[in-house]
Amino acid sequence: MNTFRTQLPDGFDLPKRIARLSELAYNLWWTWQPESQRIFGRLDYDLWERLGHNPIRLLREVDRSRLDLASKDAEYLALYDRMFANFDSYMNQKTTWISQSHPRLIGRPIAYFSMEFGLHETLPIYSGGLGVLAGDHLKEASDLGLPLTAVGFMYAQGYFSQRLSEDGWQEALNNVLDFHNLPALPVMDDHGNRLTVEVEFPDRFVTLGLWEIRVGRVPLYLLDSNLDPNSDFDKNLTARLYWSDLDRRVMQELLLGVGGVRALRALGYNPSVWHMNEGHAAFLTLERAREYVAGGDTLEQALEKTRRQNVFTTHTPVPAGNDEFPLWLIEKYLAGFWPQLNISRDQLFDLARHHMPQGETFSMGVLALRNSDGRNAVSELHGRVSRQMWHSLWPDGEEDEVPITHVTNGVHVSNWMARRLYVLLSQYLGADWYDHLDEPEMWKKVDAIPDNELWAVRLHLKRKLSFYLRERVRDRWTVGGFHPVQVVSSGVLINPYALTIGFARRFATYKRASLILTDVERLLNIVNRPNMPVQIIFAGKAHPADEPGKQLIQQVYRQVKRAETGGRIVFIEDYDMNLARYLVQGVDVWMNTPRRPYEASGTSGMKAALNGALNFSVLDGWWREAYNGRNGWSIGEDRQLESQSVQDAQDAESLYATLENEIIPLFYNRDPKEISHEWVARIKDNLKTNIPQFSTRRMVKEYVERLYVKALE
Ligand SMILES: *Cc1c(COP(=O)(O)O)cnc(C)c1O
């Protein structure tokens, strides 16, 4: 290993007895502990909420008197000692799943590249599901003892915050991240200077600095071009997620793919597996081939060697969803690169050539597929769709022989599960249930949980959600620019005892957010049923450049604002990981209405499932594999129609009829103590079948056993 350093900053004035809190603030391990909110929150809950759960700022800004009090409070100290005992034993753990099952992997790091990482709400370097999946992957890799090192970007501006105008038009507020208050440590060299790497463009070099984020035992290195001697233009290349103009997008992806490899080299890594989470990082395959060519290999040998170690995960079920660059643009930026590969212009293009309706393009998806031996989609149906989509790359065999397999996504369980439920499960499944969470056998013990205890936890979580929504509205109202009708539209009238349906996700048109609005009068009858009210909570951002997505939000918002909804259909601004946590924990039903087969997998439904919310979704992505007739409900059937409009109409009818005839009557079928035992039975079936299957525990193990180990051989 080369030597490099990261150092925790000083400047925390903490009582000695609790001085290690600053250390914890710089390791995101705390974020997925069941007691995560308490260890910092208890110091000053008000400030904790106001600072958006940022422990570094909290420790800098909290009153010294409160810290002194905590350092003498027996209950707090017990929590503190418990937390640090766990932390220390975790960080020093010798026996892990990897050490026991795959010791050969020790010392052979996996490099994991992603354009975004969703780790915590204070670090808005993610836009949606792709990033949250990557974040959960790192957390689980850490838990399993997998030697994984990740690479991404430290975006100076972060993803935008969302506001809605009175008329439902999305306004994007740019965030400016204050790195000083984030758990990101600058990487320094031996002489105390920033460690940097360079990427050459046709007319200049761009210099990248590195930040380290500690995710338990897994380090994440984030590239940052905002430093001298870069021009102002270049400093901005890593300022935002996904530049829409293609020029900057190519440059950004070159920085990730080429700069990312160089960063790992500068840090002294020699990874044995290179995992690309989506095609944005696919230039890394060229940089690695260049390394081999520089070492004396022919182009063929170089490509062959890198291919064996590469793993590519595709998340995109539409050809246009991949980054497709015009050939001239690639020529512009890679003209200096291909001579170093001993490759001609056309040979380079052949590595990524894609015939699109608009002509030939350079496809990052094709580049990654051609240059990786491990290739996977993210659900079974998505695997089938991907094999069909990419048949042209392997034209000699049948479609089902196209070498793309699938590893269905999962979510990190303790990252998303409410503490109350975690505690309840510990009581009935055994204190060590978490160590066995991917074993279906263990989950049979869920039957032993008394219905009333499970019901009580669910009610608690719903009350927490409605309280939280009210506090959000209060804050929003005081900021100003908020019309009174928006107060109602933001959930102040939400009743924690009514059946509550959540729909939160990116507003992309294929997600069909407005399907439930197909027949508004019928919907109003549903939500306003006497004695059986129903509430619907919408949330989600549209990409700022996605006009149809923004129009969809507006269309939903205009209905939400109608007085006839009785404040029962609401839209919560600014969906992020924090709001997601409240929603997946607090609603009764999680609804998803994508147009098949575009969902690929979907993960928010898994987060809801592990909290005892029941899924009600189109049989697409993960839900097609999960649904068994008892653990939730389906919208429509396991098939696709030729006509989208007919499909939409049939799905809408199925949605309404299932709500009216099954879901609502079941929820309100109460015993004298106001418990619906049939509902609880479904929750139990849901917990038993979905948690072991759709966790990152199962998923990361599958990546190891089916893709990483193979790449090692
Ligand atoms: C989980 C999550 C997503 C992804 O949800 P999908 O079901 O894949 O749409 C998006 N955004 C946030 C904030 C999430 O937590």
Side-chain angles (χ1 to χ4, degrees), residues 26 52 66 86 162 217 227 292 329 416 432 461 487 508 675:
Y26 280 91
R66 284 179 174 269
N86 288 341
Q162 178 197 52
R217 295 181 278 226
L227 75 179
Y292 282 119
L329 192 64
W416 292 104
D432 64 344
L461 296 175
V487 171
I675 295 172

Side-chain angles (χ1 to χ4, degrees), residues 83 106 147 220 277 350 523 571 680-681 700:
M83 200 83 169
I106 292 171
L220 163 61
N277 186 42
D350 282 345
L523 178 63
F571 191 108
V680 176
V700 174

